[in-house]
């Protein structure tokens, strides 16, 4: 179970505020999707509002990560269940694209008979061939960018063992020298971690922005509703699992 002190952690407060914002946004999105499905202006406005909030969250996280990069890679403010899905302190950007593919298939299957009769709802099950082509292009491009960022992290992990720690092992027994070498190694490692994290978060934001641009206003709102439901559900499932097995999850005693 979480210690009370964890809630004073800046990362924890930032994440908790974001979860609360997601719940409010989901209610608003559901209302607009229900009452104004034919009002493209309202639909586009609320979609853009949500993207702006995502960007602001991204900017707040960057400031925190630059102060303490290592903590962002081993978050204690999220549950172990959520952490098992993380890629560089967040969801893989391609997850958003996979969600669009999934929604397209399920919506089409659910309304197949209507679709064959020529009835159109304008939902994600009715992506045009042009839209599908653009989503596929985005998917391929994003996979390559994910791989490039993953490779940066892999190189960094290898480098800390091959160069910086090796130089520490080869230094004299002079404690002051050892401390200086270690401090430089840790500082360099932290700076590169922050850079990798920032690049990964930029890709997450860019991918969602490009998806929203490809989709119609109604499809964009439906996508955002599904994405937020998935995000909040994973958080809730993680909390339920953790709370039902409190002895399996031990708080970080050093967190303050």
């Amino acid at each position: 179970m979480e210690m009370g002190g964890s809630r004073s952690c800046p990362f924890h407060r930032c994440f908790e505020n974001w979860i609360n914002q997601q719940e409010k946004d989901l209610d608003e999105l559901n209302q607009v999707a229900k009452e104004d499905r034919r009002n493209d202006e309202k639909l586009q406005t609320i979609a853009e509002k949500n993207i702006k909030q995502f960007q602001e969250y991204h900017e707040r996280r960057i400031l925190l990560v630059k102060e303490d990069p290592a903590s962002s890679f081993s978050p204690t403010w999220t549950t172990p269940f959520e952490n098992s899905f993380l890629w560089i302190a967040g969801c893989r950007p391609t997850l958003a694209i996979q969600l669009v593919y999934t929604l397209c298939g399920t919506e089409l299957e659910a309304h197949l008979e209507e679709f064959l009769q020529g009835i159109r709802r304008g939902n994600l099950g009715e992506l045009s061939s042009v839209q599908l082509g653009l989503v596929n292009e985005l998917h391929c491009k994003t996979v390559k960018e994910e791989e490039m960022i993953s490779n940066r992290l892999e190189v960094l992990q290898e480098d800390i063992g091959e160069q910086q720690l090796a130089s520490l092992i080869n230094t004299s027994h002079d404690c002051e020298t050892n401390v200086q070498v270690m401090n430089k190694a840790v500082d360099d490692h932290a700076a590169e971690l922050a850079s990798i994290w920032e690049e990964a978060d930029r890709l997450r934001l860019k991918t969602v922005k490009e998806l929203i641009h490809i989709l119609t206003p109604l499809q964009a709102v439906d996508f955002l509703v599904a994405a937020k439901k998935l995000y909040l559900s994973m958080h809730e499932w993680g909390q339920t699992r953790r709370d039902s097995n409190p002895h399996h999850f031990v708080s970080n005693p050093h967190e303050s």
Side-chain angles (χ1 to χ4, degrees):
M1 297 178 67
E2 288 182 301
M3 296 175 65
S6 69
R7 295 187 180 276
S8 65
C9 167
F11 282 106
H12 185 107
R13 291 197 302 272
C14 181
F15 177 73
E16 200 168 57
N17 290 339
W18 177 241
I19 287 292
N20 292 336
Q21 184 65 57
Q22 294 302 285
E23 292 171 345
K24 293 177 183 177
D25 289 345
L26 180 57
D27 289 340
E28 188 176 9
L29 283 163
N30 275 324
Q31 183 177 353
V32 172
K34 181 180 179 181
E35 299 176 0
D36 298 290
R37 290 188 71 81
R38 298 185 182 278
N39 189 328
D40 280 357
E41 185 177 351
K42 276 193 175 182
L43 292 166
Q44 185 168 345
T45 297
I46 194 170
E48 290 174 350
K49 174 185 175 182
N50 276 260
I51 295 302
K52 182 181 178 183
Q53 289 172 341
F54 186 25
Q55 182 162 349
E56 290 170 350
Y57 176 58
H58 160 77
E59 291 168 355
R60 289 193 296 271
R61 274 164 48 102
I62 286 177
L63 295 176
L64 293 174
V65 168
K66 287 181 177 179
E67 293 180 4
D68 186 7
S71 290
S72 67
F73 280 80
S74 53
T76 56
W77 47 92
T78 49
T79 64
F81 176 74
E82 292 169 279
N83 291 347
S84 68
F85 292 93
L86 294 184
W87 173 80
I88 310 185
C91 293
R92 280 188 175 274
T94 46
L95 178 61
I97 301 170
Q98 291 289 352
L99 181 58
V100 169
Y101 286 138
T102 299
L103 292 170
C104 178
T106 54
E107 288 282 0
L108 181 59
E109 184 178 356
H111 304 288
L112 182 58
E113 186 174 342
E114 291 181 354
F115 186 83
L116 294 175
Q117 294 174 355
I119 300 173
R120 297 293 181 264
R121 293 173 174 267
N123 57 32
L124 284 161
E126 298 173 12
L127 289 177
S128 68
S129 58
V130 173
Q131 286 178 306
L132 284 171
L134 291 172
V135 172
N136 184 58
E137 287 178 15
L138 177 61
H139 191 195
C140 294
K141 181 178 68 173
T142 306
V143 166
K144 291 179 181 178
E145 292 185 69
E146 280 184 357
E147 290 176 352
M148 290 175 62
I149 298 172
S150 293
N151 288 340
R152 280 189 66 190
L153 183 59
E154 182 180 345
V155 169
L156 176 64
Q157 291 169 336
E158 292 174 351
D159 183 65
I160 194 73
E162 292 180 1
Q163 296 182 21
Q164 294 164 323
L165 290 185
S167 66
L168 176 62
I169 294 170
N170 293 328
T171 57
S172 67
H173 295 290
D174 181 1
C175 291
E176 184 176 349
T177 301
N178 287 348
V179 169
Q180 290 174 350
V181 171
M182 178 56 78
N183 282 341
K184 185 179 187 309
V186 171
D187 288 344
D188 291 347
H189 182 77
E192 183 63 9
L193 270 182
S195 175
I196 292 170
W197 183 96
E198 186 173 353
E199 186 177 1
D201 229 36
R202 278 202 306 266
L203 182 58
R204 281 185 272 267
L205 178 62
K206 183 178 73 169
T207 303
V208 173
K209 281 184 173 181
E210 292 191 31
L211 271 178
I212 296 300
H213 182 70
I214 292 170
L215 303 175
T216 66
L218 176 57
Q219 290 168 344
V221 167
D222 285 346
F223 162 73
L224 289 169
V225 166
K228 290 179 188 296
K229 281 183 178 179
L230 177 61
Y231 187 84
L232 291 170
S233 294
M234 290 178 67
H235 182 62
E236 183 178 349
W237 294 334
Q239 287 184 316
T240 300
R241 182 171 176 80
R242 181 192 60 199
D243 294 344
S244 64
N245 298 279
H247 299 298
H248 292 176
F249 305 106
V250 181
S251 298
N252 181 354
H254 302 294
E255 189 179 40
S256 59

